[in-house]
Amino acid sequence: MITGRKFVLVKPFEGFPRAENVEIVEEVVPPLKDGEYLCRTVFQSVDPYQRVFPMEIGETIVGYQVAMIIDSKTPKFPIGKYIIGYYGWKTHHIYNETSISGLNLHPLLLPDEYEDISVQDFIGVMGIPGLSAYVGLFKICQPRPGETIVISAAAGAVGNLVGQMAKIQGCTVLGVVGSDHKGQWIKNVLGFDGYINYKEGNLPTELKELAPNGVDMYFDNVGGEISSQIIKQMTMFGRIAVCGGISTYNDVEDSKASTIQADIVRNSLKMIGFRIPDYEDEFLDIMKIIAPSVREGKLKAMATITKGFERTFQAFCAMLRGENIGKAIVQL
Ligand SMILES: NC(=O)c1ccc[n+]([C@@H]2O[C@H](COP(=O)([O-])OP(=O)(O)OC[C@H]3O[C@@H](n4cnc5c(N)ncnc54)[C@H](OP(=O)(O)O)[C@@H]3O)[C@@H](O)[C@H]2O)c1
């Protein structure tokens, strides 16, 4: 008999998350029925959206993971294979072969062609962050060589990959980050052309120096005033991919930022938001495009790893505080 564990919401989040918001609950894993398979989480993702995703009291905290199939009553999902699951912060989960889980996504069986790529990468560069970086950059920003892109939360899971992909495209890549340590990393290790530390520096002034001809594309991970300041320095026909707005996720009251409508009109800017689940049908095709750069080491997969399922909530808070470089992951 296997006893699994899961994190459930016991008190709604208000402001920055606190230990009293969640609780670890044990549950006995029942025997499998025909058509079902049992997954054991190997890498659990902690993500900004978990702070703002609508969840009921008693519900398992939403989330995705890389999991190993450890028992199966369906040939479609054999023992020993891995999936990207979306079943929340849980150690074990039973799917049936037609399940749709948490985020309205089907569990994704990792194709055999990727056996040479580390399983851990499917929570980062080959998983949701890599797919999000690709969609926002190529489908929305549509980069051309020589153009300048600014990325906020640039040392984080999605941001660092956007920057690396844009460098491969021949763009000038600037990152906005919360510390010089992160800035040095994106510049010296990933090859970004420059960075701005939004906590220490003067963003508008430094951006003018780094991008004297203006910003052609902005990959927005943070929203709020940082984004308003960047959007005010965009060029004609600039493109903005709105991926997220973490700067406001812990706010108790609606936050305010400088208005940008006049800038959008004056420069004919295009600003498009996206949700990665809406691109589910394209996941396997995008993975095929990303994989060669991962294999060749052109896309570096950086992660901040916390060990132990019971530390998932701490890893989540650390990520919200900006303590991660690359993808924040919990290893079970
Ligand atoms: N649209 C989609 O489908 C989709 C998919 C994935 C992610 N997202 C969104 O993309 C964004 C990045 O997600 P991620 O998974 O890559 O997370 P991440 O960047 O790895 O981690 C979050 C980072 O946000 C920064 N941050 C925290 N508070 C901030 C604040 N007040 N102002 C500015 N920056 C702040 C921190 O870096 P610093 O130290 O630099 O502050 C922190 O490391 C989030 O907004 C997320 O919701 C959207």
Side-chain angles (χ1 to χ4, degrees), residues 21 37 86 108 135-136 229 231:
N21 293 121
Y37 57 101
Y86 308 92
L108 179 73
V135 166
Q229 291 177 351
I231 289 166

Side-chain angles (χ1 to χ4, degrees), residues 21-64:
N21 293 121
V22 297
E23 212 170 82
I24 297 180
V25 174
E26 291 194 343
E27 60 180 5
V28 173
V29 177
L32 292 185
K33 301 188 193 99
D34 283 344
E36 290 184 336
Y37 57 101
L38 173 61
C39 307
R40 178 171 57 76
T41 307
V42 181
F43 295 105
Q44 177 69 55
S45 180
V46 288
D47 296 278
Y49 76 89
Q50 287 154 343
R51 168 62 187 82
V52 286
F53 196 89
M55 286 180 276
E56 302 289 331
I57 297 300
E59 210 180 301
T60 305
I61 305 292
V62 288
Y64 62 88

Side-chain angles (χ1 to χ4, degrees), residues 74-275:
T74 163
K76 289 184 185 163
F77 291 89
I79 294 175
K81 298 281 182 196
Y82 290 90
I83 59 150
I84 298 178
Y86 308 92
Y87 53 72
W89 289 358
K90 292 175 80 174
T91 58
H92 295 80
H93 187 75
I94 293 175
Y95 275 127
N96 73 50
E97 53 192 27
T98 56
S99 293
I100 297 184
S101 57
L103 304 168
N104 259 344
L105 285 163
H106 296 85
L108 179 73
L109 187 68
L110 297 192
D112 291 344
E113 66 184 288
Y114 300 129
E115 273 175 0
D116 60 327
I117 295 180
S118 158
V119 168
Q120 185 189 309
D121 287 349
F122 287 86
I123 210 142
V125 62
M126 289 290 290
I128 297 294
L131 297 165
S132 306
Y134 182 91
V135 166
L137 180 64
F138 290 101
K139 291 186 181 288
I140 297 174
C141 290
Q142 301 182 344
R144 290 183 286 264
E147 288 190 319
T148 296
I149 183 167
V150 174
I151 302 152
S152 49
V158 177
N160 92 85
L161 295 172
V162 176
Q164 294 187 67
M165 289 177 187
K167 274 315 292 177
I168 294 171
Q169 286 307 109
C171 297
T172 297
V173 178
L174 305 173
V176 177
V177 289
S179 72
D180 288 330
H181 175 60
K182 288 185 177 185
Q184 293 301 332
W185 178 69
I186 58 172
K187 226 180 132 183
N188 300 336
V189 179
L190 302 185
F192 280 47
D193 297 279
Y195 77 89
I196 297 166
N197 176 346
Y198 71 89
K199 289 183 181 162
E200 299 279 328
N202 180 314
L203 196 155
T205 309
E206 291 182 38
L207 185 55
K208 261 203 185 75
E209 282 164 15
L210 288 168
N213 298 322
V215 173
D216 302 301
M217 297 164 284
Y218 173 42
F219 194 104
D220 186 2
N221 283 317
V222 305
E225 188 59 25
I226 291 175
S227 296
S228 293
Q229 291 177 351
I230 294 165
I231 289 166
K232 285 178 186 303
Q233 294 198 29
M234 293 195 67
T235 56
M236 279 296 288
F237 305 114
R239 289 88 66 201
I240 303 155
V242 183
C243 180
I246 191 170
S247 74
T248 61
Y249 290 176
N250 289 315
D251 287 357
V252 179
E253 285 173 12
D254 268 353
S255 12
K256 306 253 185 300
S258 310
T259 55
I260 50 172
Q261 282 73 13
D263 305 275
I264 290 180
V265 173
R266 188 175 57 249
N267 288 320
S268 286
L269 304 181
K270 193 156 83 177
M271 184 170 184
I272 300 178
F274 69 97
R275 287 173 66 252

